[in-house]
Coordinates of all heavy atoms in Angstrom, one line a residue:
Q28 N 47.0 201.1 102.7 CA 46.8 202.5 102.6 C 47.4 203.3 103.8 O 47.6 202.7 104.9 CB 45.3 202.8 102.6 CG 44.6 202.3 101.3 CD 43.1 202.7 101.3 OE1 42.5 203.0 102.3 NE2 42.6 202.7 100.1
S29 N 47.7 204.5 103.5 CA 48.3 205.4 104.6 C 47.3 205.4 105.8 O 46.1 205.5 105.6 CB 48.5 206.8 104.0 OG 49.0 207.7 105.0
G30 N 47.8 205.3 107.0 CA 47.0 205.3 108.1 C 46.6 203.9 108.6 O 46.1 203.7 109.7
G31 N 46.9 202.9 107.7 CA 46.5 201.5 108.0 C 47.5 200.8 108.9 O 48.5 201.4 109.4
S32 N 47.2 199.6 109.2 CA 48.1 198.8 110.1 C 48.5 197.5 109.4 O 47.8 197.0 108.5 CB 47.4 198.4 111.4 OG 47.1 199.6 112.1
L33 N 49.6 196.9 109.8 CA 50.1 195.7 109.3 C 51.0 195.0 110.4 O 51.6 195.7 111.1 CB 50.9 196.0 108.0 CG 51.2 194.9 107.0 CD1 49.9 194.3 106.4 CD2 52.1 195.4 105.9
R34 N 50.9 193.7 110.4 CA 51.8 193.0 111.3 C 52.7 192.1 110.6 O 52.3 191.2 109.8 CB 51.0 192.2 112.4 CG 51.9 191.6 113.4 CD 51.2 190.9 114.6 NE 50.8 189.5 114.3 CZ 50.7 188.6 115.2 NH1 50.8 188.9 116.5 NH2 50.4 187.4 114.8
L35 N 54.0 192.3 110.7 CA 55.0 191.5 110.1 C 55.4 190.3 111.1 O 55.4 190.5 112.3 CB 56.3 192.3 109.8 CG 56.1 193.5 108.9 CD1 57.4 194.1 108.5 CD2 55.3 193.1 107.6
S36 N 55.7 189.2 110.5 CA 56.1 188.0 111.3 C 57.5 187.5 110.9 O 57.8 187.6 109.7 CB 55.1 186.9 111.2 OG 53.8 187.3 111.7
C37 N 58.2 187.0 111.8 CA 59.5 186.4 111.5 C 59.6 185.1 112.2 O 59.5 185.0 113.5 CB 60.6 187.4 112.1 SG 62.3 186.7 112.0
A38 N 59.8 184.1 111.5 CA 59.9 182.7 112.0 C 61.4 182.3 112.0 O 62.1 182.4 111.0 CB 59.1 181.7 111.1
A39 N 61.8 181.9 113.2 CA 63.2 181.5 113.4 C 63.5 180.0 113.1 O 62.6 179.2 113.3 CB 63.7 181.8 114.8
G40 N 64.6 179.8 112.6 CA 65.0 178.4 112.3 C 65.6 177.7 113.6 O 65.2 178.1 114.7
T41 N 66.4 176.7 113.4 CA 66.8 175.9 114.5 C 68.1 176.4 115.2 O 69.1 175.7 115.3 CB 67.1 174.4 114.0 OG1 68.0 174.4 113.0 CG2 65.7 173.8 113.6
F42 N 68.1 177.6 115.6 CA 69.1 178.2 116.5 C 68.6 178.5 117.8 O 67.4 178.4 118.1 CB 69.8 179.4 115.8 CG 68.8 180.5 115.6 CD1 68.7 181.6 116.5 CD2 68.1 180.6 114.4 CE1 67.8 182.6 116.3 CE2 67.2 181.7 114.2 CZ 67.1 182.7 115.2
T43 N 69.5 178.8 118.8 CA 69.0 179.1 120.1 C 68.4 180.4 120.2 O 68.9 181.4 120.7 CB 70.2 179.0 121.1 OG1 70.9 177.8 120.9 CG2 69.7 178.9 122.6
F44 N 67.1 180.5 119.7 CA 66.4 181.7 119.5 C 66.4 182.6 120.8 O 66.6 183.8 120.6 CB 65.0 181.4 119.1 CG 64.1 182.5 118.9 CD1 64.2 183.3 117.8 CD2 63.1 182.9 119.9 CE1 63.3 184.4 117.6 CE2 62.3 184.0 119.7 CZ 62.4 184.7 118.5
S45 N 66.1 182.0 121.9 CA 65.9 182.8 123.1 C 67.2 183.6 123.5 O 67.1 184.6 124.3 CB 65.4 182.0 124.3 OG 66.4 181.0 124.6
E46 N 68.3 183.2 123.0 CA 69.6 183.9 123.4 C 70.0 185.0 122.4 O 70.9 185.7 122.6 CB 70.7 182.8 123.4 CG 70.5 181.8 124.5 CD 71.6 180.7 124.5 OE1 72.6 180.9 123.7 OE2 71.6 179.8 125.3
Y47 N 69.2 185.2 121.4 CA 69.5 186.2 120.4 C 68.6 187.5 120.6 O 67.5 187.4 120.9 CB 69.2 185.7 119.0 CG 70.3 184.8 118.4 CD1 70.4 183.5 118.9 CD2 71.1 185.2 117.4 CE1 71.4 182.7 118.4 CE2 72.1 184.4 116.9 CZ 72.2 183.1 117.4 OH 73.2 182.3 116.8
A48 N 69.3 188.6 120.3 CA 68.6 189.8 120.2 C 68.0 189.8 118.8 O 68.6 189.4 117.9 CB 69.5 191.0 120.4
M49 N 66.7 190.2 118.7 CA 66.1 190.2 117.4 C 65.7 191.6 117.0 O 65.4 192.5 117.9 CB 64.8 189.3 117.4 CG 65.1 187.9 117.8 SD 66.2 187.0 116.7 CE 65.1 187.0 115.2
S50 N 65.7 191.9 115.8 CA 65.3 193.2 115.3 C 64.7 193.2 113.9 O 64.7 192.2 113.2 CB 66.6 194.1 115.3 OG 67.5 193.6 114.3
W51 N 64.2 194.4 113.6 CA 63.6 194.6 112.3 C 64.4 195.8 111.7 O 64.5 196.8 112.4 CB 62.1 194.9 112.3 CG 61.3 193.7 112.6 CD1 60.8 193.3 113.8 CD2 60.8 192.8 111.6 NE1 60.1 192.2 113.7 CE2 60.0 191.8 112.3 CE3 60.9 192.6 110.2 CZ2 59.4 190.8 111.7 CZ3 60.2 191.6 109.6 CH2 59.5 190.7 110.4
S52 N 64.8 195.7 110.5 CA 65.4 196.8 109.7 C 64.6 197.0 108.4 O 63.9 196.1 108.0 CB 66.9 196.6 109.5 OG 67.1 195.4 108.7
R53 N 64.9 198.1 107.8 CA 64.2 198.3 106.5 C 65.1 199.1 105.5 O 66.0 199.8 106.0 CB 62.9 199.0 106.7 CG 63.0 200.5 107.2 CD 61.7 201.1 107.5 NE 61.8 202.5 107.9 CZ 60.8 203.2 108.4 NH1 59.6 202.6 108.5 NH2 61.0 204.4 108.8
Q54 N 64.8 198.9 104.3 CA 65.6 199.6 103.3 C 64.7 200.0 102.1 O 64.1 199.1 101.5 CB 66.8 198.8 102.8 CG 67.7 199.5 101.8 CD 69.0 198.9 101.6 OE1 69.1 197.6 101.7 NE2 70.0 199.6 101.3
A55 N 64.6 201.2 101.8 CA 63.9 201.7 100.7 C 64.8 202.0 99.5 O 66.0 202.2 99.7 CB 63.2 203.1 101.1
P56 N 64.3 201.9 98.3 CA 65.2 202.1 97.1 C 66.0 203.4 97.2 O 65.4 204.5 97.5 CB 64.2 202.1 96.0 CG 63.1 201.3 96.5 CD 62.9 201.6 97.9

């Protein structure tokens, strides 16, 4: 609902995770 909260998670595979910049993007229809 509007006003609510949510936490998204992203699990990384077997790459050198600590060396990467990570981000979140979104796309609406």
Side-chain angles (χ1 to χ4, degrees):
Q28 293 184 336
S29 179
S32 297
L33 198 62
R34 188 172 86 152
L35 304 184
S36 298
C37 172
T41 57
F42 60 94
T43 311
F44 179 78
S45 63
E46 297 180 0
Y47 281 73
M49 303 298 296
S50 65
W51 288 93
S52 61
R53 67 186 182 186
Q54 186 167 29

